[in-house]
Amino acid sequence: MINSLVTVPSGILQIPSSVLDPLHFSLIVPTYNESGNIEKIIKILTGILDQQFPDNYELIIVDDDSKDLTWQIAYSLMPEYPHLRVMRRTEEQGLSTAVIRGWQAANGDILGVIDGDLQHPPEVLVNLLLGISQGADLSVASRHVEGGGVSDWSLARRILSRGAQMLGLVILPRVIGRVSDPMSGYFMVRRSSIAQKTLNPLGYKILIEVLGRGDIETIAEVGYTFQERQQGESKVTWRQYQEYIFHLLRLRFSTGRLGRIRRKIDFPFGRFVNFALVGLSGVVIDMGILYLLHGVAHLGLTRSAVLAGELAIINNFLWNDLWTFGDISRAQRSPSQIFKRFSKFNIICLMGLIIKVLILNFFFNFFHLNAYLANFLAILIVTVWNFWLNLKLSWRVTQINK
Ligand code: GDD
Ligand code: MN
């Protein structure tokens, strides 16, 4: 077979440091439902790159199995464009991973990305590449430097975009602060700067991941005007904003000084946050049931409290089993295994309750703390205790071969 689709790389998102037959440049075009743009953008990009690097580049379309068959249009153009390659992803989805999967399959020493909807002016490519050839590790097209801008954005959209950037500066100043347009999805980077790094992006903003985890010393910026879309529509929804914030937080806690401290402590913070949230839901249930049984149905206080407590424990167990430790429990799902986990969880929680009362008394009687503050501290300590024991005993990874 002469023409075939590019095999989709799987496993961790890591770019190899070298390839068998290197090329100078690989440009990834991530697409989802861009049938109205794909032919035009391939034509224009090929025109530019044929001049820049004759026979020394590749153009890789990474399409997430678009309903409008973007990948098929690109595929049918391959005979006409010898440097065009097409990847069709059917399992994984999402802009950031599309770009990285494309880079993983790429042969270029320089790896680039451009949107597939012509909102990134193709001619800017030449300036971006110039930045790299002059020594930059990363060359970013920016709306916020000389010569840059947006076309016809409403005030609301400008504020949202700048707000997102400011939030980024607060959460991750040393990454976001390095470029004027950290939201840009139009840039190129040297393979050597990101090879062998385990990338773990979320959502739309792949540049943040490259800046956060890559070895980037010098950066070039090139102004460009973000064009209006002529064909198709944007895929951005509120979900992308939410993912952006989670992405920032994840980078904050896994890179730099905080990341080093965290690795030393070796505490599963992510799981703990889930566990604590589940705990909070348990408090709500406990209070609600107590109110129903004692306040409404006039059952005795102790009896109501015990029932409410137990229902909260069951609630917490179910959410923890499904969510906090879902990855572990999915591999151990026979009824006897579930029952075992539940029994252990129950016992640990009851012990926790006793410890909580002891700690509360200790803080209250010896340190003369305010009763509510003492109670709060006791809850905090017991939550960590509950979490740690359940991690080690209830959701232990037992079925994994050594
Ligand atoms: N493979 C794949 N999978 N491609 C996707 C996906 C996906 O899940 N979602 C979007 N794309 C493609 C689109 O087809 C388009 O080519 C490009 O990614 C950008 O998507 P848009 O939906 O057009 O985003 P935008 O116009 O709001 O652009 C914003 O994000 C860009 C990418 O980070 C702006 O912030 C740009 O500056 C930025 O470059
Ligand atoms: Mn767009």
mmCIF file of all heavy atoms in Angstrom, residues 34 115 117 119 226 229 234, ligand 2:
data_model
loop_
_atom_site.group_PDB
_atom_site.id
_atom_site.type_symbol
_atom_site.label_atom_id
_atom_site.label_comp_id
_atom_site.label_asym_id
_atom_site.label_seq_id
_atom_site.Cartn_x
_atom_site.Cartn_y
_atom_site.Cartn_z
ATOM 1 N N GLU A 34 -13.327 20.215 10.107
ATOM 2 C CA GLU A 34 -12.793 21.330 9.325
ATOM 3 C C GLU A 34 -12.884 21.040 7.828
ATOM 4 O O GLU A 34 -12.022 21.462 7.054
ATOM 5 C CB GLU A 34 -11.331 21.615 9.718
ATOM 6 C CG GLU A 34 -11.093 21.963 11.176
ATOM 7 C CD GLU A 34 -11.660 23.323 11.590
ATOM 8 O OE1 GLU A 34 -12.237 24.036 10.755
ATOM 9 O OE2 GLU A 34 -11.542 23.646 12.799
ATOM 10 N N ASP A 115 -3.496 25.961 13.847
ATOM 11 C CA ASP A 115 -4.912 25.586 13.762
ATOM 12 C C ASP A 115 -5.293 25.269 12.314
ATOM 13 O O ASP A 115 -4.709 25.821 11.385
ATOM 14 C CB ASP A 115 -5.803 26.736 14.266
ATOM 15 C CG ASP A 115 -5.836 26.832 15.783
ATOM 16 O OD1 ASP A 115 -5.181 26.000 16.444
ATOM 17 O OD2 ASP A 115 -6.516 27.746 16.302
ATOM 18 N N ASP A 117 -8.138 26.000 10.847
ATOM 19 C CA ASP A 117 -9.292 26.761 10.371
ATOM 20 C C ASP A 117 -8.924 28.100 9.740
ATOM 21 O O ASP A 117 -9.787 28.952 9.539
ATOM 22 C CB ASP A 117 -10.273 26.999 11.526
ATOM 23 C CG ASP A 117 -9.593 27.613 12.739
ATOM 24 O OD1 ASP A 117 -8.426 28.038 12.614
ATOM 25 O OD2 ASP A 117 -10.219 27.670 13.809
ATOM 26 N N GLN A 119 -7.510 30.557 10.989
ATOM 27 C CA GLN A 119 -7.510 31.726 11.884
ATOM 28 C C GLN A 119 -6.076 32.145 12.207
ATOM 29 O O GLN A 119 -5.838 33.269 12.629
ATOM 30 C CB GLN A 119 -8.297 31.424 13.158
ATOM 31 C CG GLN A 119 -9.791 31.322 12.890
ATOM 32 C CD GLN A 119 -10.603 31.295 14.167
ATOM 33 O OE1 GLN A 119 -10.722 30.268 14.811
ATOM 34 N NE2 GLN A 119 -11.153 32.433 14.531
ATOM 35 N N PHE A 226 -5.179 37.352 14.885
ATOM 36 C CA PHE A 226 -6.079 36.197 14.910
ATOM 37 C C PHE A 226 -7.248 36.481 13.975
ATOM 38 O O PHE A 226 -8.027 37.407 14.203
ATOM 39 C CB PHE A 226 -6.554 35.977 16.353
ATOM 40 C CG PHE A 226 -7.201 34.649 16.594
ATOM 41 C CD1 PHE A 226 -6.445 33.485 16.608
ATOM 42 C CD2 PHE A 226 -8.568 34.560 16.822
ATOM 43 C CE1 PHE A 226 -7.037 32.253 16.852
ATOM 44 C CE2 PHE A 226 -9.171 33.327 17.063
ATOM 45 C CZ PHE A 226 -8.402 32.172 17.079
ATOM 46 N N ARG A 229 -13.074 33.308 11.684
ATOM 47 C CA ARG A 229 -13.324 32.036 11.030
ATOM 48 C C ARG A 229 -14.197 32.246 9.804
ATOM 49 O O ARG A 229 -15.224 32.923 9.880
ATOM 50 C CB ARG A 229 -14.077 31.135 12.000
ATOM 51 C CG ARG A 229 -13.519 29.763 12.133
ATOM 52 C CD ARG A 229 -14.389 28.999 13.098
ATOM 53 N NE ARG A 229 -13.624 28.006 13.836
ATOM 54 C CZ ARG A 229 -13.276 26.830 13.360
ATOM 55 N NH1 ARG A 229 -13.602 26.496 12.121
ATOM 56 N NH2 ARG A 229 -12.592 25.987 14.092
ATOM 57 N N SER A 234 -16.001 27.171 15.964
ATOM 58 C CA SER A 234 -15.075 26.933 17.058
ATOM 59 C C SER A 234 -15.600 25.817 17.950
ATOM 60 O O SER A 234 -16.803 25.633 18.074
ATOM 61 C CB SER A 234 -14.903 28.207 17.870
ATOM 62 O OG SER A 234 -14.247 27.912 19.072
HETATM 63 MN MN MN B 2 -10.413 28.553 15.550
#
